[in-house]
Amino acid sequence: MGRYAPSHDFPISRSHGFFAREGSGPIKTTLAKLSNIKGAVHMSKQGNQAPPVAHAPHAPLTDYYNSEQERAGFVRRMFDSTAADYDRMELILGFGNGPRYRGEALVRAGLRPGMRIVDVGVGTGLVAREAVRIVGNPQLVVGVDPSPGMMSSARLPQGVSLLEGTAEAIPFPDASFDFLSMGYALRHIGDLSLAFREFHRVMKPGARLCLLEITWSENGIGGALMKAYMKGVVPVLARIVGRAEGTSLLWRYYWDTIKGCAPPEQVLATLEAAGFAGVRRHIDSKVLSMLAEYQAIKPE
């Protein structure tokens, strides 16, 4: 699983295990109808209106910070300080199936050998590692993240480049990539509408997008089990296996962002408003309906 938080610092580049400064960065009426059968869940409009565009992915979580202005710093510090524990916790949370699922999701969304991909919110490189395996060349994979601590803990093949940056200000020119991915980081973006327009900008015409995300389970029993696991079991496990003091806090916060996140139909509408086509939400398993993939294409 992954995360994302805005930062206003200068971009940092990491390639071949090396960090260096790169210079300053650029900066209801009608609801969607979702089909819950296994496979793709498409947004359909009724009438002429779509759900409202989303900006902040969730309301301020004042149990953790006092204001939206403080959120970015809080999130960045939390991920920087817990980076060393992240991969270990993810392995436990995903029951060891995370790499397989991430790779399959990227292929479903259209990632193919030879494509140039940017992974936004790269974190410790969990999605980027699968991308390298699929595209066949580490130099075709770029990661962007606001947390130097997370990127310094990334275990990636030599040749992958990591840059400090945010979803709202990706430090690359227009039309740079054939594919854009983000792994479980949507809930930590400051402004979804702005970020999706930025995604559209750096993607080439015809490029594909895949946003992996955990969403509130559409199954009542599944939702109850998810809450018990994420809010009860996971923080306890974090205290047991985590080495950093804030690891347990990180996973409590993780749950609260899931519960409070903008609903899928609003995320889909925001992608469409940003100029994407073929927008859909894919669920691979009804049993695990909280694991979803937002897919889209930048029109030719």
Side-chain angles (χ1 to χ4, degrees), residues 7 10 24 48 81 84 90 98 126 131 135 147-148 154 234 241 252 279:
S7 164
F10 288 46
S24 63
N48 297 320
S81 65
E90 190 281 332
L126 298 174
V135 302
S147 169
V234 172
V241 306
R252 289 199 303 272
V279 173

Side-chain angles (χ1 to χ4, degrees), residues 97-112 127 130-131 133-134 179 210 212 280 282 284-285 293 295:
N97 292 317
R100 176 194 59 80
Y101 174 72
R102 291 185 187 90
E104 290 177 354
L106 291 173
V107 171
R108 273 193 293 269
L111 186 63
R112 299 291 183 266
V127 174
E130 298 307 307
R133 179 180 58 79
I134 295 166
F179 197 100
C210 182
L212 306 179
R280 69 175 192 164
H282 177 92
D284 195 48
S285 169
E293 303 145 31
Q295 302 172 359

Side-chain angles (χ1 to χ4, degrees), residues 2-18:
R3 0 75 35 241
Y4 202 89
S7 164
H8 302 289
D9 292 345
F10 288 46
I12 291 181
S13 159
R14 177 180 180 264
S15 183
H16 310 289
F18 178 75

Side-chain angles (χ1 to χ4, degrees), residues 249-269:
L249 174 68
L250 167 63
W251 294 103
R252 289 199 303 272
Y253 179 79
Y254 202 92
W255 160 255
D256 286 339
T257 61
I258 293 171
K259 188 66 173 68
C261 192
E265 61 268 19
Q266 195 173 5
V267 175
L268 293 168

Side-chain angles (χ1 to χ4, degrees), residues 210-222:
C210 182
L211 309 179
L212 306 179
E213 195 47 80
I214 301 178
T215 57
W216 179 246
S217 176
E218 295 162 0
N219 178 293
I221 296 175

Side-chain angles (χ1 to χ4, degrees), residues 22-267:
E22 290 283 301
S24 63
I27 55 123
K28 157 173 115 59
T29 41
T30 304
L31 295 177
K33 182 179 180 182
L34 298 177
S35 169
N36 291 320
I37 61 172
K38 180 177 177 179
V41 179
H42 296 267
M43 180 178 74
S44 65
K45 298 177 184 177
Q46 299 176 352
N48 297 320
Q49 291 185 329
V53 166
H55 291 280
H58 54 76
L61 301 174
T62 54
D63 286 348
Y64 303 94
Y65 48 82
N66 292 323
S67 66
E68 176 60 21
Q69 290 69 33
E70 295 180 9
R71 183 191 62 81
F74 164 79
V75 174
R76 175 172 173 165
R77 288 191 301 272
M78 180 172 58
F79 282 114
D80 277 345
S81 65
T82 60
D85 287 338
Y86 199 84
D87 284 10
R88 187 184 308 109
M89 282 298 301
E90 190 281 332
L91 188 65
I92 294 171
L93 287 171
F95 303 103
N97 292 317
R100 176 194 59 80
Y101 174 72
R102 291 185 187 90
E104 290 177 354
L106 291 173
V107 171
R108 273 193 293 269
L111 186 63
R112 299 291 183 266
M115 284 184 170
R116 190 173 189 228
I117 175 175
V118 58
D119 185 40
V120 182
V122 64
T124 59
L126 298 174
V127 174
R129 283 203 291 273
E130 298 307 307
V132 171
R133 179 180 58 79
I134 295 166
V135 302
N137 181 352
Q139 295 184 348
L140 293 174
V141 180
V142 174
V144 174
D145 200 281
S147 169
M150 293 294 282
M151 289 190 291
S152 66
S153 294
R155 294 179 291 109
L156 290 166
Q158 186 176 18
V160 176
S161 296
L162 300 183
L163 300 174
E164 186 176 338
T166 71
E168 298 92 338
I170 300 171
F172 282 93
D174 296 356
S176 292
F177 299 98
D178 304 299
F179 197 100
L180 185 148
S181 62
M182 172 180 275
Y184 310 106
L186 180 150
R187 292 165 288 108
H188 309 303
I189 292 174
D191 188 319
L192 295 181
S193 178
L194 179 58
F196 292 170
R197 293 198 301 271
E198 183 71 346
F199 293 176
H200 190 278
R201 181 188 68 79
V202 300
M203 293 167 63
K204 298 177 182 178
R208 295 176 175 267
L209 172 144
C210 182
L211 309 179
L212 306 179
E213 195 47 80
I214 301 178
T215 57
W216 179 246
S217 176
E218 295 162 0
N219 178 293
I221 296 175
L225 291 173
M226 181 182 177
K227 179 178 180 179
Y229 181 62
M230 291 296 298
K231 195 168 184 177
V233 176
V234 172
V236 173
L237 289 174
R239 284 195 296 270
I240 294 172
V241 306
R243 299 170 184 171
E245 183 178 350
T247 296
S248 180
L249 174 68
L250 167 63
W251 294 103
R252 289 199 303 272
Y253 179 79
Y254 202 92
W255 160 255
D256 286 339
T257 61
I258 293 171
K259 188 66 173 68
C261 192
E265 61 268 19
Q266 195 173 5
V267 175

